[in-house]
Amino acid sequence: MKEKFQHLLENIKKDLIFLANEVEHSIRQAIVALERSDVALAEQVKARDNEIDRMEVNIEDQILTLLALQQPVAIDLRFIVGGLKMNNDLERIGDHAVNIANTVIELGTTPLVSAIGDISQMSEIACKMLHDAVSAFVHQDSDLARKVCAMDNDVDEFYDRIVANTIGSLQKDHDKIREGFAIARVVRSLERVGDLSTNISEDVVFMKEAKIIRHKFDVS
């Protein structure tokens, strides 16, 4: 029974890692599409989301089956609960890749000249957070998970600065309203990628240490 449980657990872990890689790739490709005003690439990101949704449903089904048949306890139960929440967070990150891709498609060949440099830097931090959060999950590394949580401040600072600069630009030139809304949508999605990566990291701490650090609480 224990051997079968571990086999099912490993399958879920492998599928979560694969889903995480797909989602990170989608975010990176959506930003490349934005940088290059590449509508065709943005359409590819949208099309890939169906497969991400299918993977999310499949993993959830595996987890619920495992819960029903094996009734895990202690650290195994915390891993299953954390994996279920991570699965949902990854699917939502995939949705934000689609949001960015939709913005690229709406803009067409109009580039976001004024903010693209800051957006590129912000996306690198958000993608690193996601990558490191998944690595922390794979290796059950709560120290790395806490570092990811701290990085969210950097993403928030970029968000605040880009939005403030965009508002300032719109006050001087009302003709840039369309560009301003596009910038706001993109950076809002990247800010949410940072938040969802933080959620994953908080769950890693819960899995490893049985501590809830969400909302700055440290409860064990």
Side-chain angles (χ1 to χ4, degrees):
M1 181 69 80
K2 185 66 176 176
E3 186 176 330
K4 182 180 179 182
F5 175 80
Q6 288 300 330
H7 177 71
L8 293 172
L9 211 56
E10 283 302 312
N11 281 344
I12 291 170
K13 184 186 288 188
K14 282 191 291 188
D15 285 350
L16 280 169
I17 294 168
F18 187 79
L19 175 59
N21 287 336
E22 289 294 303
V23 166
E24 182 182 344
H25 182 68
S26 284
I27 287 289
R28 289 188 181 278
Q29 290 297 91
I31 293 298
V32 169
L34 183 73
E35 292 168 340
R36 299 176 181 173
S37 299
D38 189 336
V39 173
L41 182 56
E43 293 284 5
Q44 290 177 27
V45 172
K46 285 187 66 177
R48 192 180 298 117
D49 192 54
N50 288 333
E51 180 61 15
I52 288 173
D53 290 345
R54 187 195 64 77
M55 285 188 278
E56 187 246 350
V57 170
N58 176 266
I59 292 169
E60 182 175 307
D61 184 62
Q62 289 184 67
I63 290 175
L64 294 178
T65 300
L66 190 65
L67 277 171
L69 298 180
Q70 303 292 327
Q71 299 178 346
V73 296
I75 190 169
D76 288 338
L77 178 60
R78 294 200 301 274
F79 178 88
I80 291 296
V81 172
L84 189 62
K85 293 169 70 178
M86 177 180 172
N87 186 43
N88 181 253
D89 288 338
L90 290 173
E91 189 275 333
R92 290 166 66 191
I93 291 174
D95 288 344
H96 285 294
V98 172
N99 291 344
I100 295 170
N102 280 332
T103 300
V104 175
I105 292 167
E106 289 172 18
L107 283 169
T109 57
T110 306
L112 293 182
V113 178
S114 61
I116 196 63
D118 279 344
I119 289 174
S120 295
Q121 291 181 58
M122 183 181 180
S123 72
E124 277 301 316
I125 299 172
C127 286
K128 180 172 173 50
M129 287 181 68
L130 172 59
H131 188 87
D132 287 355
V134 174
S135 180
F137 167 78
V138 171
H139 301 291
Q140 294 292 285
D141 186 341
S142 55
D143 291 335
L144 178 58
R146 283 188 164 87
K147 290 178 182 175
V148 173
C149 294
M151 289 170 65
D152 196 38
N153 291 332
D154 297 335
V155 172
D156 289 345
E157 286 176 10
F158 264 104
Y159 175 79
D160 291 342
R161 183 166 71 244
I162 293 171
V163 169
N165 289 342
T166 301
I167 292 172
S169 178
L170 289 177
Q171 288 172 337
K172 296 175 184 175
D173 187 352
H174 295 174
D175 291 338
K176 292 185 175 180
I177 287 179
R178 181 166 174 257
E179 180 179 334
F181 276 118
I183 292 170
R185 285 198 300 270
V186 169
V187 296
R188 177 59 179 161
S189 283
L190 291 175
E191 193 268 342
R192 290 299 298 145
V193 171
D195 288 345
L196 292 165
S197 299
T198 299
N199 289 353
I200 294 170
S201 300
E202 290 169 345
D203 289 335
V204 171
V205 175
F206 174 70
M207 288 181 219
K208 181 68 177 178
E209 303 177 6
K211 291 181 177 178
I212 298 173
I213 62 171
R214 192 168 63 252
H215 307 310
K216 311 298 182 187
F217 294 120
D218 195 337
V219 180
S220 57

